[in-house]
Amino acid sequence: MAAVLERSFIEICGFERETQHRFRDVTVNLPGVSALPGGQKFPDSGGAFHYEESGKLLSVTSNRFIHWCTAGDSVQLVEQSLDTNLLNNAVRLQLSHCSVLPGGVVVQETLSNVIILVSTNQSVHRLVLPHPTRMYRSELVTELHMQSIFTDVGKLSLHEPSHSALIPSVLGQNGSPSTSTAWLSESGEAHYALASPAGGIRVVSLPPLGTQGSVSVVELKRSSMMQRLSGWMPSSIRGEQSPADLALSLAVREMEEDTFIFALCQDHKLRMWSIREQACLLEADMLDYMPSCRGLKRQSGTAHRLRVSSSLSGLCVGVYLSVPQRGQFTVLQLVATDNNRYSLDHISSLFTTQETLVDFSLTSTDIWAVWVDESNNTVVKYINFEHNTAGQWNQVFVQPAPEEEVHIGVDQDPRETYLDVIFSPLHFTSSAIVKALQIYRRGSQRIIDPSWDNLKKEVTVAVESELQSSVTEFEFSQEEYRQLQVEFWSKFYACCLQYQEVQSLPVGLSVSYSTGLVCLLKKGFVSFLLPCFAVDHLYLSSDEYLFSEEETPITEDPDLGRDLLQLVQCLRLVSDAVSGGMAYEMEKALEHLESPERAAELVLENLLSNDEENVIEDIQNKLQDIRNPMAAMMVLLREMDLETDSDVGVDGPVLPGLNLRISLSQQLGSSSAVSVVCQAVCHLAMTRTLFCRDLLILQKLYLRFGDNMFLGGGAQLLQLQQDLIPRSSNLLSSYYLLKHVSQSLASSVPIDIIDANLQHLTVLELSDAPTPSTNRAALSPQTVLELFYQTAARKLIISQIYSQQQSSSVLLWSHMISNVVILLAQLLWPSNSGFQFPECLMGNCQYTQLQEYVRLIGPWCQVNIGSCRFMLGQCYLANGEGHKALQCFQEAATEVEKEEFLIRLTGTEEEEAASTPRLQYYNKVLRLLEDVGLPELVIQLASLAITEAVSDINSQAALWTRIFKHHLDLGHNSEAYEALTQNPDSSMQQDCLRQLVVVLCERSQLQDLVQFSYVNLHDEVVGIIESRARGLDLLAHNYYELLYAFHINRHNFRKAGSVMFELGMRLGREVRTRLGLQKQVNCYLAALNCLRLIRPEYAWIVQPVSGAMYERPGASPKRNSDGDFSSEPVQRQVDILELKDLEKEYVVSRSRLTLAQHHPPSAAIAGSASAEEMVTLLVQTGLFDSALSICQTFKLNLTSVFEGLTFKCIKLQFGGEETQNEAWSWLAANQLSSVVNTKESSATDEAWQLLASYLDRYPSANARHHRCVISKLLSHGVPLPDWLIKSYKEVDAASLLRLYLNFDLLDAAAELVLEYVDALLGRGHQYFGIERPLSATSSSVWLPYTSIDQLLHTLSETQTNSSVYNKVRDKLEEYHKLVEQTTKRRLVTQ
């Protein structure tokens, strides 16, 4: 990898930040157990068990282990995995009235089970749990969460004899065992080796689970050995128990079909017992391996420890002897000789000055140990006991406790500062904060909701309430209140420190034999030891180690290595000289984007002015010992620079095998691993930030010393100033950015924001963008770095690691974790081309954090500039600052073809391959702005994009269409029209034009629509409006009126008239309602007006074809509307309509409307009725005026009108009152006589009067109208009114006579003949229309003799009419005489 590893390790705390109590309590109360009086108290202890296949990749138990912590009568057991989150993974065993012994928890596994053996001072316990491989049908687990083996621990009956047993008491023995160990035999028996308080070992055994049996006890005593070796020993001595036999530490190992128990006793001797032989096979005095041990044999050991380990050469025994002022580790190897005899070979003795050993672990090559010093600080070291001739222990840099004081700047709020520190993911466990809060509130309230956010509120309320309650004054100055805040918050902070210190006390150490994973077990959490990078090792090493080192793995050149170590020593001096205030000012300068070089100069000025201890002189002296400072600095800078040429984060080749890929998908994916990896990156960033800060200050100091410090003179100074200092400044800013990212908390995002963001990502077509985390609750609070690692980085890193190495099945902790940490740091490194981190922030809606990230890298990072601007634009969009977003998007456009993210953003659409990348980018951004709903910005950006599409007609057309659409949506009609006219694509232009027409019609903005000039688009507009008009509902849309207005506005009256006439036709055919008829009348009137406005020779229109023949958009050219093949088109004759034709249509339509108004049901049939049919309908309704108007217009016979009116008169004549009342409605609709009657008239009178007026108003040849009326009356037997007889006599008395004869009215006919003859004779001739009666000088007169002859003939046939017959005959004779006389006179005169 890019970074070089050192031999040292660094502690990374893996404490969970969950606040909920996760332990399930299981209490075991065995009968007969009671607390022992004055019982011995044992120190808290801890340990861990690593599964045998924890280092195997394709295993359910990979990176999985169980750790525990004992305290009094309780054992807390936690199963943990670095790959998946385990559910129900924590249990607390409460063993009532018992104390768990040191070494009293042992975990072993079989093929089917995990067995936990627990030893207490009064009882032994066995928990049999399912093995993880038996909990899943498949070896591969793809879920993010798995059930722990502790899931069903509550179902175990731990009180049963098969699980728990009391330790049988021995007569005469008092006290309890002091230590223990346990193991599981191959037959399944559980054995517990207990150190007897009087010396020796008692082995308590439980029978195999599921078999019958009782507890067995075996006593291992020194007398057994003595009898075998020397049978002559006196009985007084034989069997004697000595307190020196008391075992302080026990270990067990099965070998060669036997089990050996190793006991390190307080007489400093190591004894090995055989279970099979029940005898001590080996005894060795450990003081023999300790120099200067005079006097120690008389002292009893109290803190000796023993561990055993298997190695390639055999069984190794590690012994720790604790003596005053020092301690010693002795590593021995067990050697078997003949006759079942054993001996120990000395391998190594290692010395240490620490006294209080907590725990140590022995591996095949190393000793790992943890101590607590006088200040209660944790010390961890390890050493290779085989190849370390100098006895030099390797360092482990433990996590320092949080600072005792919090530095608060003058511009900072104390409350916010303390809250940030207390609730930082790096400093305090949640349980420490909860306990501190309970103590601070004196236990008055219980924390109901222990969520992290609620805990923050509870702390704030508690401290502020305490502050308020202590206040006695009503008024404070701002400074006084600030001091009070600092006082109370520092008090609570001190409580947190106290409980965090308790939580951080070490209780054990564990090393995995499979993976090399080293865990440091503490009371409140587990921390992990990670290999330290060489650069960090140099900076973190204590002075004693740093001054004793002579080489470094950073370089192979010994001279350069010495220079490097000297330079680091100078850096350490600078670091010690920088005060807390100066460090704070330097950090603030980085936060506020001030020049790091300038900030370093200010710190240096402060150092020079306050150098009371001559630190600068010491630094100068050391600098003079460095032969080539430039080379040393360049090595350091190169080693710290994480910039890489390889594509970090790009998926490697697909690994073979589905099982392997699935297993890799889980690697280091649990919340514990996420926390450890990200805290490791954070620690790396914090360390190197300080390293770069001190290096920059030292470089500035070099510049100040000038040529005095450089052998090369000015050239090296120039290189320092122009190359090294800028590189150091850049590295400082980069590591500060990593530090900020690793400590910045992620925000919780509402689901609606997530949905909106996903929609935006879909618009951008970022298919491989990370999806929002579904495991947000795993860590609370979660940093953005953890979010990134969880959702995106882990998969990339693991894939890259396993694509590069040969063997993929073995998991080695040091190799794996160091690679993961450095690769994650490289993914975050701003100078690398990868852009996954900002993408992840965007994908998870972390807009505030993303803005801060872009702000921090803005002034100095020259990589992914355009991509950062694009991301910043996304943030502005999410915050509703659209104009700022647009500015960022425009700035990003210049980098489209240069940066990988922008190339990927623009390269996802195949259909846009012909466009330039910048145009593709603009299209993506335009879609995004459209999706957000910012049309003004869309218009602005599209207008800019048009300037880029000078040679691309298709892109221009698409952009103009977009501009048109959004102008139209905004109601900018004129701008929309302007955009439409600019569109170079005719089809798109037509689409836009159609949309303009439709939208403006829907908005009723017809004035704008009509007044546009439509240059070169006139016919298209007309065609669009006509198409819309003919294809849509007439009453719901007003496209015909629009088209009419369009033509009127352009003085095209004939077209306007044609439009209105077509509308009228369709209304009559399709809208057969009163409203439709009303509109039809108006349409015909408008059409008439249009034609009257033009010259008569042009006053014509082409009659529109029937509605079915309109050319419908999208209609099939081969089939009709029913789907049948249409016949061959028929050549139709074009009909020309003139003004008179339109007038006729108008009259009919007006009559239809009149009919519908008086008789609404008739509207349905009147719409398509012809003129003749309309006359009939009108007559039936009583609208005689309208009927007569149609008859006159169309030159129709009026007979039907008169007959209809006559019939209504007859009905009124003989109808009742109801008929009279109904008649008034239709009578009112006709124009009655203007003669005012002085008396009240009835409806019948009015009807007769109307009939009379019509007969007068509409004369006809031969009085045809009178005749039809009289004929109608007579046919119904109605007596003829006098006025009718009188009027008809004046017109045609002969016809009247014939009518009388036709209806057998002989008396009336005879009377008429008599009167008619008298009129001829000169008596009343004016009543018959005779101008001059019979005389010699007048014109000739005549009589209807045929009719008179018929009358006489008829009268002569009946006796009853003889008198009438005689009168007529006499009158005719009289007439004939006069005619004869008159004739003669005329002849005479001639």
Side-chain angles (χ1 to χ4, degrees):
M1 300 304 297
V4 180
L5 294 178
E6 254 287 0
R7 296 184 303 274
S8 59
F9 279 72
I10 186 168
E11 179 196 6
I12 299 298
C13 295
F15 56 77
E16 299 283 346
R17 297 194 293 275
E18 298 173 349
T19 53
Q20 296 183 353
H21 193 63
R22 57 181 183 153
F23 284 98
R24 288 179 298 156
D25 290 307
V26 177
T27 303
V28 180
N29 286 307
L30 294 179
V33 176
S34 60
L36 296 177
Q40 183 180 358
K41 291 186 177 179
F42 302 107
D44 295 346
S45 63
F49 163 76
H50 299 266
Y51 287 96
E52 187 176 347
E53 293 188 346
S54 62
K56 184 178 178 182
L57 182 60
L58 300 176
S59 172
V60 176
T61 57
S62 66
N63 285 324
R64 188 163 171 172
F65 59 97
I66 299 171
H67 61 86
W68 60 86
C69 179
T70 67
D73 63 348
S74 68
V75 181
Q76 292 183 354
L77 292 154
V78 179
E79 186 183 22
Q80 198 161 349
S81 171
L82 297 177
D83 293 347
T84 57
N85 293 320
L86 300 178
L87 304 175
N88 305 308
N89 67 325
V91 63
R92 181 186 289 112
L93 286 178
Q94 202 78 26
L95 306 170
S96 301
H97 309 301
C98 298
S99 295
V100 181
L101 297 174
V105 180
V106 175
V107 181
Q108 286 186 245
E109 64 176 319
T110 65
L111 292 176
S112 302
N113 298 103
V114 174
I115 294 94
I116 301 176
L117 307 176
V118 181
S119 309
T120 71
N121 59 346
Q122 300 187 67
S123 61
V124 292
H125 305 269
R126 172 172 58 187
L127 280 71
V128 181
L129 302 169
H131 196 277
T133 56
R134 294 293 185 265
M135 297 178 68
Y136 298 90
R137 294 180 180 178
S138 170
E139 290 186 353
L140 293 173
V141 180
T142 58
E143 295 87 358
L144 188 62
H145 300 275
M146 298 173 59
Q147 291 293 340
S148 166
I149 62 171
F150 295 126
T151 298
D152 296 327
V153 70
K155 298 179 181 179
L156 297 178
S157 300
L158 298 181
H159 302 84
E160 294 182 357
S162 59
H163 291 99
S164 300
L166 293 177
I167 300 174
S169 60
V170 178
L171 187 63
Q173 279 194 10
N174 294 323
S176 62
S178 58
T179 186
S180 68
T181 188
W183 74 97
L184 195 70
S185 67
E186 292 183 358
S187 60
E189 290 181 311
H191 303 283
Y192 303 84
L194 310 173
S196 175
I201 299 172
R202 300 180 69 194
V203 179
V204 180
S205 300
L206 296 179
L209 192 69
T211 62
Q212 297 296 325
S214 59
V215 179
S216 63
V217 179
V218 175
E219 295 281 348
L220 301 178
K221 303 179 181 179
R222 288 181 63 196
S223 58
S224 302
M225 176 189 69
M226 299 305 293
Q227 287 174 355
R228 285 177 61 89
L229 297 179
S230 51
W232 55 266
M233 183 174 288
S235 60
S236 59
I237 302 175
R238 195 164 51 245
E240 181 185 9
Q241 298 294 322
S242 171
D245 283 0
L246 180 65
L248 300 178
S249 183
L250 297 175
V252 66
R253 188 57 55 103
E254 290 184 295
M255 293 187 306
E256 301 175 358
E257 300 181 355
D258 196 359
T259 301
F260 299 100
I261 299 177
F262 297 86
L264 183 61
C265 304
Q266 65 180 4
D267 60 356
H268 318 295
K269 292 183 179 180
L270 174 67
R271 296 177 174 88
M272 185 179 79
W273 297 84
S274 169
I275 294 296
R276 185 177 63 186
E277 301 291 335
Q278 297 187 14
C280 181
L281 303 183
L282 177 68
E283 180 176 299
D285 191 347
M286 293 295 102
L287 293 181
D288 294 343
Y289 303 102
M290 176 176 280
S292 304
C293 59
R294 184 178 302 174
L296 293 178
K297 291 189 177 182
R298 294 189 299 272
Q299 300 178 6
S300 297
T302 56
H304 297 341
R305 298 294 176 93
L306 170 67
R307 298 288 185 268
V308 295
S309 172
S310 298
S311 66
L312 296 176
S313 57
L315 186 68
C316 291
V317 180
V319 174
Y320 174 76
L321 296 181
S322 175
V323 296
Q325 305 302 322
R326 61 195 174 107
Q328 174 180 312
F329 289 94
T330 304
V331 183
L332 307 166
Q333 184 170 347
L334 184 67
V335 179
T337 60
D338 297 335
N339 300 323
N340 202 23
R341 302 290 294 270
Y342 294 89
S343 64
L344 295 174
D345 285 350
H346 179 262
I347 296 177
S348 179
S349 292
L350 305 164
F351 304 97
T352 174
T353 57
Q354 273 78 21
E355 293 187 6
T356 310
L357 180 74
V358 177
D359 193 13
F360 83 95
S361 181
L362 178 69
T363 70
S364 59
T365 57
D366 299 322
I367 292 176
W368 291 81
V370 54
W371 295 266
V372 175
D373 64 10
E374 296 176 354
S375 303
N376 220 23
N377 295 321
T378 302
V379 178
V380 182
K381 297 178 184 178
Y382 84 99
I383 192 170
N384 185 304
F385 57 78
E386 289 184 331
H387 305 103
N388 196 326
T389 56
Q392 179 76 32
W393 287 79
N394 294 303
Q395 298 176 94
V396 175
F397 306 112
V398 297
Q399 196 75 17
E403 295 289 340
E404 293 187 1
E405 294 184 2
V406 177
H407 188 278
I408 304 173
V410 293
D411 57 340
Q412 290 181 308
D413 177 47
R415 178 176 66 183
E416 293 300 323
T417 305
Y418 273 102
L419 283 175
D420 289 343
V421 173
I422 292 171
F423 288 92
S424 165
L426 300 174
H427 295 148
F428 297 98
T429 62
S430 58
S431 56
I433 299 174
V434 169
K435 290 181 180 179
L437 180 60
Q438 290 171 341
I439 293 298
Y440 193 82
R441 295 196 305 198
R442 302 173 184 87
S444 59
Q445 298 179 16
R446 184 180 177 186
I447 300 174
I448 300 175
D449 177 17
S451 64
W452 195 268
D453 290 337
N454 186 68
L455 190 59
K456 198 171 185 178
K457 294 177 184 176
E458 295 271 2
V459 168
T460 305
V461 170
V463 177
E464 293 295 324
S465 299
E466 189 79 10
L467 189 153
Q468 298 294 336
S469 63
S470 68
V471 170
T472 57
E473 302 287 337
F474 290 102
E475 293 186 2
F476 285 101
S477 68
Q478 189 172 357
E479 187 58 34
E480 288 173 333
Y481 183 71
R482 179 184 173 88
Q483 290 299 326
L484 275 177
Q485 278 189 306
V486 172
E487 175 185 344
F488 281 90
W489 276 103
S490 61
K491 180 182 175 183
F492 179 78
Y493 183 73
C495 291
C496 293
L497 286 175
Q498 177 183 351
Y499 281 102
Q500 185 64 28
E501 182 179 357
V502 173
Q503 296 265 311
S504 301
L505 286 176
V507 294
L509 184 71
S510 173
V511 182
S512 170
Y513 297 104
S514 301
T515 64
L517 170 65
V518 186
C519 298
L520 184 59
L521 308 168
K522 300 190 176 184
K523 290 196 69 172
F525 54 92
V526 178
S527 60
F528 300 84
L529 303 188
L530 278 63
C532 188
F533 298 106
V535 174
D536 305 333
H537 165 83
L538 291 176
Y539 192 76
L540 295 173
S541 291
S542 60
D543 291 340
E544 57 176 311
Y545 280 92
L546 188 61
F547 290 114
S548 64
E549 290 192 12
E550 296 181 355
E551 60 182 16
T552 174
I554 296 179
T555 177
E556 297 179 357
D557 185 348
D559 293 334
L560 184 58
R562 283 191 293 272
D563 285 349
L564 204 57
L565 292 172
Q566 289 286 337
L567 184 64
V568 172
Q569 291 175 22
C570 295
L571 290 174
R572 293 290 299 275
L573 290 175
V574 172
S575 177
D576 295 339
V578 175
S579 66
M582 287 188 289
Y584 173 78
E585 292 299 327
M586 188 81 177
E587 186 164 345
K588 282 299 173 185
L590 293 172
E591 180 184 352
H592 297 148
L593 303 180
E594 298 174 10
S595 169
E597 299 177 28
R598 176 60 185 155
E601 288 178 1
L602 294 176
V603 172
L604 181 59
E605 293 291 342
N606 190 293
L607 285 177
L608 292 172
S609 59
N610 298 293
D611 186 17
E612 299 176 356
E613 299 179 0
N614 296 323
V615 175
I616 301 299
E617 184 177 348
D618 294 342
I619 295 173
Q620 186 174 5
N621 292 334
K622 283 188 174 295
L623 289 177
Q624 290 176 345
D625 296 334
I626 303 176
R627 301 177 182 180
N628 192 345
M630 295 297 101
M633 289 182 191
M634 289 182 68
V635 168
L636 283 178
L637 293 176
R638 185 186 68 244
E639 189 63 26
M640 285 192 292
D641 194 350
L642 297 181
E643 185 174 348
T644 175
D645 295 332
S646 62
D647 293 330
V648 181
V650 176
D651 290 337
V654 177
L655 296 174
L658 176 63
N659 291 356
L660 178 60
R661 293 200 301 273
I662 294 177
S663 184
L664 287 178
S665 69
Q666 306 295 317
Q667 279 288 295
L668 299 180
S670 70
S671 59
S672 302
V674 171
S675 177
V676 168
V677 170
C678 296
Q679 287 193 38
V681 173
C682 180
H683 195 277
L684 174 83
M686 290 191 297
T687 303
R688 297 191 180 183
T689 299
L690 298 177
F691 198 127
C692 294
R693 179 201 69 186
D694 298 339
L695 180 59
L696 189 59
I697 294 172
L698 187 65
Q699 289 170 339
K700 289 292 182 180
L701 185 61
Y702 258 118
L703 283 182
R704 184 175 291 269
F705 289 150
D707 295 340
N708 297 330
M709 301 301 299
F710 292 99
L711 298 177
Q716 288 191 339
L717 277 177
L718 188 64
Q719 180 187 6
L720 177 66
Q721 188 168 10
Q722 295 185 352
D723 180 24
L724 299 184
I725 288 180
R727 286 175 62 185
S728 300
S729 174
N730 193 281
L731 282 179
L732 175 58
S733 298
S734 298
Y735 277 112
Y736 176 78
L737 176 68
L738 263 64
K739 174 185 172 184
H740 170 82
V741 165
S742 60
Q743 296 181 356
S744 178
L745 297 181
S747 307
S748 58
V749 185
I751 190 66
D752 55 335
I753 301 296
I754 293 177
D755 291 340
N757 185 59
L758 282 176
Q759 186 176 350
H760 298 165
L761 293 179
T762 304
V763 170
L764 294 175
E765 299 182 25
L766 291 174
S767 57
D768 57 345
T771 55
S773 172
T774 57
N775 192 30
R776 184 64 55 83
L779 289 171
S780 179
Q782 189 176 36
T783 65
V784 291
L785 178 56
E786 290 165 344
L787 177 66
F788 172 55
Y789 176 77
Q790 224 171 353
T791 56
R794 183 180 62 84
K795 174 187 172 186
L796 298 172
I797 291 170
I798 298 297
S799 175
Q800 184 161 342
I801 289 175
Y802 280 93
S803 66
Q804 293 175 352
Q805 67 181 34
Q806 298 297 323
S807 174
S808 303
S809 59
V810 180
L811 299 173
L812 297 177
W813 169 252
S814 296
H815 172 76
M816 169 66 77
I817 196 66
S818 58
N819 285 351
V820 169
V821 169
I822 203 67
L823 282 174
L824 180 57
Q826 286 179 348
L827 282 174
L828 297 170
W829 196 248
S831 298
N832 287 330
S833 60
F835 202 63
Q836 290 84 2
F837 178 65
E839 276 192 81
C840 174
L841 294 184
M842 181 182 71
N844 288 279
C845 310
Q846 303 298 313
Y847 300 118
T848 304
Q849 294 82 348
L850 182 53
Q851 276 184 272
E852 182 66 10
Y853 174 85
V854 175
R855 184 187 74 84
L856 288 175
I857 69 173
W860 51 270
C861 183
Q862 300 302 314
V863 180
N864 290 320
I865 297 175
S867 301
C868 287
R869 301 311 295 172
F870 180 84
M871 289 298 179
L872 186 59
Q874 283 277 77
C875 296
Y876 285 138
L877 271 189
N879 296 331
E881 299 178 273
H883 289 284
K884 291 183 179 179
L886 180 62
Q887 181 65 31
C888 291
F889 291 145
Q890 291 176 358
E891 293 170 358
T894 58
E895 307 296 322
V896 163
E897 300 178 59
K898 306 173 186 177
E899 299 177 8
E900 185 271 336
F901 170 75
L902 295 178
I903 291 173
R904 181 157 49 88
L905 180 70
T906 58
T908 57
E909 298 184 51
E910 296 180 0
E911 65 271 16
E912 293 186 4
S915 302
T916 63
R918 191 173 293 190
L919 281 177
Q920 293 178 13
Y921 167 77
Y922 281 135
N923 282 333
K924 282 290 182 66
V925 177
L926 287 170
R927 290 183 193 175
L928 180 62
L929 294 175
E930 287 173 340
D931 189 65
V932 177
L934 297 171
E936 299 96 338
L937 303 186
V938 174
I939 295 169
Q940 199 171 336
L941 186 60
S943 301
L944 175 64
I946 287 174
T947 61
E948 297 284 340
V950 177
S951 59
D952 191 341
I953 299 300
N954 293 333
S955 296
Q956 279 193 15
L959 291 169
W960 278 119
T961 301
R962 213 174 222 130
I963 294 173
F964 161 81
K965 173 185 177 298
H966 291 288
H967 271 311
L968 189 60
D969 291 342
L970 292 170
H972 304 162
N973 299 339
S974 299
E975 291 82 354
Y977 171 75
E978 184 65 28
L980 179 153
T981 59
Q982 296 291 331
N983 200 316
D985 187 287
S986 59
S987 62
M988 286 189 177
Q989 194 178 48
Q990 289 241 16
D991 293 339
C992 295
L993 190 59
R994 184 175 295 105
Q995 191 175 359
L996 178 70
V997 171
V998 173
V999 170
L1000 292 189
C1001 283
E1002 290 174 351
R1003 294 178 186 165
S1004 299
Q1005 295 176 335
L1006 304 181
Q1007 185 73 23
D1008 290 347
L1009 184 60
V1010 169
Q1011 288 184 347
F1012 290 141
S1013 59
Y1014 300 110
V1015 178
N1016 300 324
L1017 294 172
H1018 183 274
D1019 293 340
E1020 286 80 358
V1021 174
V1022 173
I1024 290 170
I1025 301 177
E1026 283 182 350
S1027 175
R1028 301 287 297 181
R1030 291 167 179 168
L1032 297 175
D1033 184 13
L1034 292 174
L1035 294 181
H1037 301 84
N1038 58 351
Y1039 286 103
Y1040 277 106
E1041 287 90 339
L1042 170 63
L1043 194 55
Y1044 171 77
F1046 185 85
H1047 289 310
I1048 289 292
N1049 191 62
R1050 285 156 178 76
H1051 303 288
N1052 194 342
F1053 298 115
R1054 188 166 68 184
K1055 279 280 190 181
S1058 179
V1059 169
M1060 284 292 102
F1061 186 76
E1062 180 180 326
L1063 175 59
M1065 286 180 61
R1066 285 192 61 193
L1067 286 168
R1069 185 170 56 251
E1070 301 173 21
V1071 188
R1072 298 183 178 181
T1073 62
R1074 178 178 170 181
L1075 177 61
L1077 294 173
Q1078 178 67 61
K1079 294 190 72 173
Q1080 186 184 43
V1081 170
N1082 295 338
C1083 290
Y1084 287 153
L1085 272 175
L1088 285 171
N1089 288 338
C1090 289
L1091 292 187
R1092 287 182 178 132
L1093 290 173
I1094 58 181
R1095 287 187 291 176
E1097 59 267 27
Y1098 297 110
W1100 54 268
I1101 61 174
V1102 177
Q1103 181 174 7
V1105 295
S1106 62
M1109 297 308 297
Y1110 292 145
E1111 183 181 349
R1112 299 187 305 277
S1116 171
K1118 297 181 180 180
R1119 299 177 183 269
N1120 56 26
S1121 57
D1122 297 327
D1124 300 328
F1125 284 100
S1126 58
S1127 59
E1128 291 295 326
V1130 179
Q1131 296 293 330
R1132 288 180 172 80
Q1133 184 176 356
V1134 177
D1135 295 330
I1136 300 300
L1137 298 179
E1138 297 180 345
L1139 194 57
K1140 58 184 179 180
D1141 300 316
L1142 265 64
E1143 290 173 347
K1144 289 181 180 180
E1145 290 293 336
Y1146 167 69
V1147 169
V1148 175
S1149 65
R1150 190 180 60 189
S1151 302
R1152 290 170 181 155
L1153 176 61
T1154 305
L1155 176 63
Q1157 289 172 340
H1158 288 82
H1159 189 251
S1162 300
I1165 58 175
S1168 59
S1170 62
E1172 292 80 0
E1173 292 169 340
M1174 278 304 302
V1175 170
T1176 303
L1177 292 172
L1178 291 168
V1179 168
Q1180 290 175 355
T1181 314
L1183 302 176
F1184 300 103
D1185 279 352
S1186 298
L1188 290 169
S1189 177
I1190 291 179
C1191 290
Q1192 285 188 315
T1193 302
F1194 287 89
K1195 295 182 172 53
L1196 301 179
N1197 195 343
L1198 303 183
T1199 302
S1200 59
V1201 179
F1202 283 100
E1203 286 182 350
L1205 180 54
T1206 302
F1207 182 71
K1208 285 191 175 291
C1209 290
I1210 296 171
K1211 286 178 67 178
L1212 285 172
Q1213 187 77 33
F1214 299 100
E1217 184 178 353
E1218 184 178 353
T1219 307
Q1220 295 282 330
N1221 294 335
E1222 292 177 355
W1224 282 112
S1225 63
W1226 62 263
L1227 283 170
N1230 297 288
Q1231 294 183 1
L1232 301 178
S1233 173
S1234 59
V1235 177
V1236 179
N1237 296 320
T1238 56
K1239 66 175 182 176
E1240 184 177 347
S1241 60
S1242 64
T1244 307
D1245 296 336
E1246 291 294 333
W1248 287 116
Q1249 187 177 354
L1250 180 62
L1251 179 59
S1253 66
Y1254 283 164
L1255 290 172
D1256 290 341
R1257 199 182 311 160
Y1258 303 104
S1260 59
N1262 301 323
R1264 184 172 68 255
H1265 300 158
H1266 287 77
R1267 183 167 60 251
C1268 73
V1269 170
I1270 294 172
S1271 176
K1272 192 71 172 178
L1273 291 172
L1274 294 179
S1275 64
H1276 285 78
V1278 178
L1280 300 179
D1282 291 342
W1283 61 268
L1284 182 57
I1285 297 173
K1286 178 181 178 183
S1287 62
Y1288 196 27
K1289 284 194 301 185
E1290 293 180 358
V1291 178
D1292 191 355
S1295 293
L1296 180 59
L1297 177 59
R1298 286 192 289 273
L1299 287 172
Y1300 280 156
L1301 290 175
N1302 289 341
F1303 289 96
D1304 289 336
L1305 301 177
L1306 300 179
D1307 292 340
E1311 185 67 29
L1312 178 59
V1313 170
L1314 293 174
E1315 291 180 359
Y1316 190 60
V1317 173
D1318 285 340
L1320 290 175
L1321 295 176
R1323 294 188 290 274
H1325 60 87
Q1326 65 276 11
Y1327 297 112
F1328 286 88
I1330 301 173
E1331 296 181 1
R1332 297 177 63 185
L1334 182 61
S1335 65
T1337 59
S1338 65
S1339 59
S1340 59
V1341 296
W1342 61 278
L1343 278 175
Y1345 286 107
T1346 303
S1347 299
I1348 293 174
D1349 288 343
Q1350 289 176 355
L1351 174 62
L1352 291 174
H1353 177 72
T1354 304
L1355 290 174
S1356 65
E1357 291 179 350
T1358 56
Q1359 294 296 326
T1360 55
N1361 295 319
S1362 58
S1363 59
V1364 177
Y1365 172 77
N1366 293 329
K1367 286 183 180 179
V1368 174
R1369 192 185 60 189
D1370 294 340
K1371 180 62 71 177
L1372 286 172
E1373 289 179 354
E1374 181 182 355
Y1375 172 71
H1376 290 146
K1377 288 180 183 180
L1378 184 56
V1379 169
E1380 186 180 350
Q1381 291 175 6
T1382 303
T1383 302
K1384 290 178 179 178
R1385 288 175 184 164
R1386 180 171 291 183
L1387 292 172
V1388 172
T1389 55
Q1390 292 178 351

